[in-house]
Amino acid sequence: MTQIWKTTGFVTDDPWVIETEGSETDETQAGSNERAIHGLTTFIEKAEAGETGLGVLVNPADDVARLQPYLDRIALVAVAFPAFNDGRAFSHASLLRARLKFDGEIRAIGDVLIDQVPLMLRCGIDSFAVTNPTALKRLGEGRLPGIEQHYQPTARPAPDAGSYSWRRVS
């Protein structure tokens, strides 16, 4: 079962549903009390039609720069991690925050593992669709792994360590 986690804890009333198109057995549509997360092509069609408050799914091979003209219409960007060894969504999140200046919610979906959550947070990801049992348990206990000092800046501001400009403390 997928649960949504943010730094404040698990979310019980998340309205977002990833819509899929296909045969009747594969198709998922948002209900009346839910909000749809669309694939990139469908999202652009809806955004060009003037719709706002949309959710968009960015898959690893998608060009996140295509979202730039529509950033004011996006409420949530879901970045896909289809496998633990596919880190392109880290780059997508960093580009959205640092270059495109997107300040809305970015959600990690797919293979979200506990060891990657601190790195995802540093890239600017706000929420996580978690299915991994170990990750669910550790997040529920408030146990995040991590490193306290980092040498590189990130999309998420870090407090000043009081010394070198390039050294940050989480």
Side-chain angles (χ1 to χ4, degrees):
M1 182 173 140
T2 302
Q3 293 187 34
I4 305 302
W5 183 83
K6 296 182 178 187
T7 56
T8 56
F10 286 102
V11 176
T12 57
D13 57 349
D14 184 72
W16 294 100
V17 173
I18 297 173
E19 285 198 348
T20 57
E21 298 174 3
S23 67
E24 290 182 24
T25 57
D26 294 329
E27 193 168 309
T28 303
Q29 300 294 319
S32 60
N33 293 333
E34 298 173 323
R35 297 179 71 185
I37 300 173
H38 303 284
L40 189 59
T41 303
T42 303
F43 163 78
I44 291 173
E45 291 170 1
K46 291 183 176 288
E48 287 180 348
E51 292 187 40
T52 60
L54 299 169
V56 59
L57 172 63
V58 178
N59 286 304
D62 290 341
D63 180 6
V64 74
R66 291 180 62 196
L67 296 175
Q68 189 167 11
Y70 314 106
L71 292 176
D72 60 335
R73 299 185 179 163
I74 301 173
L76 178 131
V77 176
V79 291
F81 289 87
F84 78 94
N85 61 350
D86 189 342
R88 292 177 281 180
F90 285 106
S91 298
H92 291 324
S94 292
L95 289 170
L96 281 163
R97 293 289 189 222
R99 289 193 190 160
L100 302 179
K101 306 296 184 212
F102 178 68
D103 61 357
E105 183 176 347
I106 300 176
R107 175 172 296 171
I109 64 164
D111 199 7
V112 177
L113 302 178
I114 191 67
D115 293 341
Q116 296 172 327
V117 171
L119 301 171
M120 291 175 180
L121 286 167
R122 287 178 48 81
C123 288
I125 296 173
D126 303 301
S127 65
F128 306 84
V130 184
T131 58
N132 181 280
T134 302
L136 289 169
K137 180 180 182 221
R138 297 268 305 274
L139 290 170
E141 296 169 349
R143 294 176 37 212
L144 280 177
I147 300 169
E148 292 183 13
Q149 293 188 358
H150 306 280
Y151 290 104
Q152 72 280 6
T154 64
R156 185 174 302 280
D160 184 10
S163 60
Y164 301 106
S165 63
W166 42 265
R167 187 178 297 162
R168 305 284 185 252
V169 177
S170 294

